[in-house]
Amino acid sequence: MTEKNHNPKSLHRTKLILQFFALFVSAYLPILIIQNFPFVLNFDIPARDYLVFHNVAEVFSVTVSISIFGLGWFTYKRTRNYHSLFIAVSFLTVGLFDFMHALAYSGMSDLITPNTPNKSTQFWILARLTTGFGILFSAFFYSRKQSLRINSFWLLSISLLFTIVALYTVNFHQETLPETYKQGYGLTKLKIGLEYFIIFLNVISFLIYFNLYLESGDTNLKYLLAGLIFFIFCDYSMTIYTTVFDTFSLLGHTYKIVSFYLIYKSIFISSVNEPYDSLLWINRRLESEIEEHEHSKKKFIQSLDEKGILIRELYHRSNNTMQLIRSMINLQAENYPKNSDIDELVRKTEERIQTISIVHQILFESNDLSKISLREYINKLIGYILIRNQDVSKEIKIQSEIEDQHVLLDIAVPVGLILLELVSNSLKHAFPDPSNGILTIEIQKLDSGDILFEYSDNGVGISNSLDPKNLDKLGMKLIYGIGEGQLHGRIRICNQPNFFFQLQFRDDLYFPRV
């Protein structure tokens, strides 16, 4: 048992062929009925009634032609649709020829020169030839290839020039043109031959556009293909009428109305609906992306909030951990109540832990999880140091000038530890009589971007015989280690007559990690 594999493209092609064949049969059916019942259905319509219908049909055709031109021409700058532009300019010429055909029709007022059936038929043939060639050649512009790019104004100029030359020739040099209709004889062989040639052009156009439709899947080509079928029967009807007022002439103009409507719809879709549909599709996609972006943004904000909570919890626990370590050190120190060196070590360690703890406390309470206000931190730290040494500090004046700037944890902690050592040393060693003691703290940001930290007191200073770098008991080793090692700064110390300390370091040593 064998299983047949059906190609989807082949099935689609077959379905389209059947659809267009059904339309072809439906379009041919009125002609077939009239040809089989000529005595009932094929007759001359009164001239007045026919002229009303003819004028309505031609006005409709002209209006549609101008509309097709307007759509293709005025949307070209945005769509760059060469195919629609070529059809648009072609149908401008067609519309003008149809307008001349209507004005030159028998029974109408003379168009420049006396109207005759031959004159109106010549304008008709010109309009149909322009339609046939225009649609056929427009197929070569469908792919929008760079090599086929055209100048729209040159194309329009050629179209209008051709129309003016044709109008002049048909009116003033009709003897140079072959006859297409003879009074009392009817259609000439040339006119019938030209109609069959136009049918041939429309068949070729149909085959080309049918293949383009299969390749591109462009649904608006279906309307153009349907319009070509009605054009074929429009031209065929004009090969079998005997008078300009009979049923076949009326049927031919009816086919023309239908075909013009279908081609207008094809151009309208490609020039107006298609760009708007594309815009709507892009709009829906943007809405979807915006919605997805908002969802991602909410998740991101939620993630940031969770991260902020976790980091604050980390700072809080770090602070608690340092307080726990501080308590454990105090408990251990209670085992050596008479050892002054251990008491001093515990005191120093406790103060250093609290110096770091204050930073974590500020970060926990702040919205910024990376930086803290240096002024706020220094003020809290000085307050803590003064409380710890209130027996001496209550008579000492603090003069501070701290530029408010936000620094990273990696900068704040080292600066705080250095300040702790400096203030503690001054309180302990600088003032035999603390009643006149003054501590000065200045921190500012220089134009170079460096931070300048200056500290001084009006105490007794450090003996000249001593190297400050080697005074371990005064915490100088810690100060130099942090200032030069961790902050990569430059330290300058003056000992006499008063103590003066200066540290200059860069602000961009570290980068935010949160």
Side-chain angles (χ1 to χ4, degrees):
M1 184 177 179
T2 60
E3 183 179 351
K4 293 183 179 180
N5 294 321
H6 297 286
N7 188 342
K9 288 186 177 180
S10 178
L11 289 174
H12 180 61
R13 183 187 183 93
T14 304
K15 184 179 178 181
L16 284 176
I17 291 173
L18 291 175
Q19 288 176 350
F20 286 118
F21 179 75
L23 181 61
F24 186 90
V25 172
S26 301
Y28 178 62
L29 195 59
I31 297 175
L32 189 64
I33 293 173
I34 295 173
Q35 286 177 331
N36 282 277
F37 301 97
F39 297 104
V40 179
L41 300 176
N42 190 9
F43 54 87
D44 284 351
I45 300 169
R48 177 184 291 180
D49 297 337
Y50 186 88
L51 282 175
V52 173
F53 164 77
H54 184 264
N55 288 338
V56 170
E58 294 304 331
V59 167
F60 176 82
S61 300
V62 172
T63 303
V64 171
S65 296
I66 300 301
S67 299
I68 290 173
F69 169 74
L71 284 172
W73 180 264
F74 291 108
T75 60
Y76 170 69
K77 287 185 178 180
R78 294 187 180 275
T79 63
R80 291 294 170 183
N81 191 325
Y82 310 120
H83 171 254
S84 295
L85 174 68
F86 196 88
I87 290 182
V89 175
S90 300
F91 267 80
L92 174 64
T93 308
V94 171
L96 293 174
F97 281 145
D98 277 334
F99 182 64
M100 297 172 195
H101 163 72
L103 294 180
Y105 211 76
S106 297
M108 297 290 289
S109 299
D110 292 340
L111 175 63
I112 305 176
T113 58
N115 289 348
T116 63
N118 180 56
K119 182 179 177 180
S120 65
T121 305
Q122 286 174 337
F123 282 124
W124 169 273
I125 288 295
L126 286 171
R128 303 291 72 78
L129 282 170
T130 305
T131 305
F133 279 115
I135 294 176
L136 178 61
F137 290 149
S138 68
F140 296 100
F141 293 92
Y142 182 77
S143 61
R144 305 182 185 184
K145 294 179 180 178
Q146 296 294 324
S147 59
L148 295 176
R149 184 170 293 180
I150 55 177
N151 186 298
S152 57
F153 287 99
W154 274 109
L155 187 64
L156 179 62
S157 300
I158 293 170
S159 170
L160 293 175
L161 180 63
F162 173 60
T163 306
I164 293 169
V165 170
L167 175 64
Y168 176 79
T169 304
V170 171
N171 274 287
F172 297 105
H173 297 281
Q174 199 171 111
E175 70 280 359
T176 63
L177 301 174
E179 286 188 303
T180 55
Y181 186 91
K182 290 182 179 180
Q183 195 70 33
Y185 176 78
L187 301 175
T188 64
K189 290 182 179 179
L190 174 66
K191 199 272 184 183
I192 294 173
L194 288 172
E195 293 285 6
Y196 279 115
F197 176 70
I198 295 167
I199 290 172
F200 171 75
L201 293 178
N202 289 332
V203 170
I204 298 299
S205 297
F206 181 89
L207 295 175
I208 293 173
Y209 274 106
F210 185 77
N211 286 326
L212 287 174
Y213 175 62
L214 290 176
E215 292 173 4
S216 65
D218 188 356
T219 54
N220 73 305
L221 290 182
K222 290 176 70 174
Y223 295 103
L224 182 59
L225 290 168
L228 285 169
I229 289 175
F230 281 97
F231 263 135
I232 290 170
F233 287 105
C234 167
D235 292 308
Y236 178 69
S237 298
M238 293 304 171
T239 64
I240 55 179
Y241 75 87
T242 54
T243 70
V244 293
F245 301 115
D246 71 2
T247 308
F248 284 113
S249 179
L250 182 144
L251 185 61
H253 283 84
T254 304
Y255 283 133
K256 179 185 171 186
I257 291 173
V258 176
S259 61
F260 268 59
Y261 167 75
L262 290 170
I263 292 176
Y264 170 80
K265 193 166 184 179
S266 172
I267 299 300
F268 184 85
I269 289 174
S270 63
S271 299
V272 179
N273 277 10
E274 195 175 74
Y276 275 104
D277 288 342
S278 177
L279 187 62
L280 288 172
W281 179 81
I282 293 172
N283 189 45
R284 284 194 293 267
R285 185 165 181 177
L286 282 174
E287 287 177 353
S288 176
E289 289 183 359
I290 289 171
E291 185 178 345
E292 185 178 345
H293 174 73
E294 289 295 330
H295 180 68
S296 300
K297 182 180 176 182
K298 287 180 181 178
K299 290 182 69 176
F300 181 70
I301 291 173
Q302 183 181 357
S303 175
L304 283 178
D305 291 340
E306 291 174 354
K307 184 179 179 181
I309 292 171
L310 290 174
I311 292 174
R312 285 190 176 88
E313 181 64 22
L314 178 63
Y315 289 146
H316 180 63
R317 293 192 179 189
S318 299
N319 190 36
N320 289 343
T321 301
M322 284 186 281
Q323 299 302 327
L324 179 61
I325 294 171
R326 176 183 167 192
S327 300
M328 291 173 64
I329 292 173
N330 284 325
L331 287 173
Q332 290 294 319
E334 289 178 359
N335 295 326
Y336 307 94
K338 297 181 180 180
N339 193 321
S340 59
D341 291 335
I342 291 179
D343 287 343
E344 181 65 18
L345 178 62
V346 169
R347 179 182 175 84
K348 284 284 187 184
T349 304
E350 187 178 358
E351 288 176 346
R352 290 163 183 168
I353 290 174
Q354 188 61 24
T355 299
I356 300 172
S357 180
I358 291 173
V359 174
H360 286 271
Q361 181 184 353
I362 294 173
L363 284 169
F364 176 73
E365 296 171 352
S366 173
N367 292 325
D368 191 338
L369 300 177
S370 297
K371 297 182 177 182
I372 64 170
S373 168
L374 191 58
R375 180 189 291 173
E376 179 187 359
Y377 172 54
I378 297 298
N379 289 337
K380 285 189 175 184
L381 179 59
I382 291 174
Y384 166 74
I385 298 172
L386 294 178
I387 291 173
R388 289 278 294 181
N389 301 273
Q390 57 185 344
D391 291 340
V392 180
S393 65
K394 62 184 179 181
E395 297 183 18
I396 291 179
K397 296 179 182 179
I398 306 291
Q399 295 178 348
S400 63
E401 188 176 340
I402 303 169
E403 182 180 330
D404 194 14
Q405 53 185 303
H406 286 73
V407 297
L408 294 172
L409 172 71
D410 308 83
I411 299 293
V413 170
V415 170
L417 289 172
I418 290 173
L419 182 62
L420 170 67
E421 298 301 325
L422 292 172
V423 174
S424 298
N425 288 341
S426 293
L427 295 176
K428 188 174 182 181
H429 303 288
F431 304 110
D433 180 13
S435 60
N436 296 320
I438 299 175
L439 303 181
T440 304
I441 304 168
E442 294 183 7
I443 300 178
Q444 59 179 314
K445 194 163 189 177
L446 303 177
D447 294 338
S448 62
D450 289 357
I451 294 177
L452 183 64
F453 170 29
E454 294 181 336
Y455 173 87
S456 63
D457 62 46
N458 63 343
V460 296
I462 303 173
S463 174
N464 283 330
S465 61
L466 297 177
D467 183 2
K469 226 172 187 178
N470 296 322
L471 295 178
D472 190 33
K473 288 186 178 181
L474 296 179
M476 283 298 174
K477 283 189 176 180
L478 178 64
I479 291 172
Y480 273 92
I482 295 174
E484 294 180 340
Q486 188 172 346
L487 294 178
H488 304 286
R490 299 188 300 275
I491 295 176
R492 185 168 72 90
I493 294 179
C494 295
N495 298 328
Q496 295 292 333
N498 306 116
F499 177 78
F500 174 81
F501 170 87
Q502 184 185 79
L503 169 65
Q504 183 176 338
F505 60 93
R506 290 169 52 195
D507 184 33
D508 58 352
L509 294 170
Y510 304 97
F511 298 96
R513 292 184 289 275
V514 180

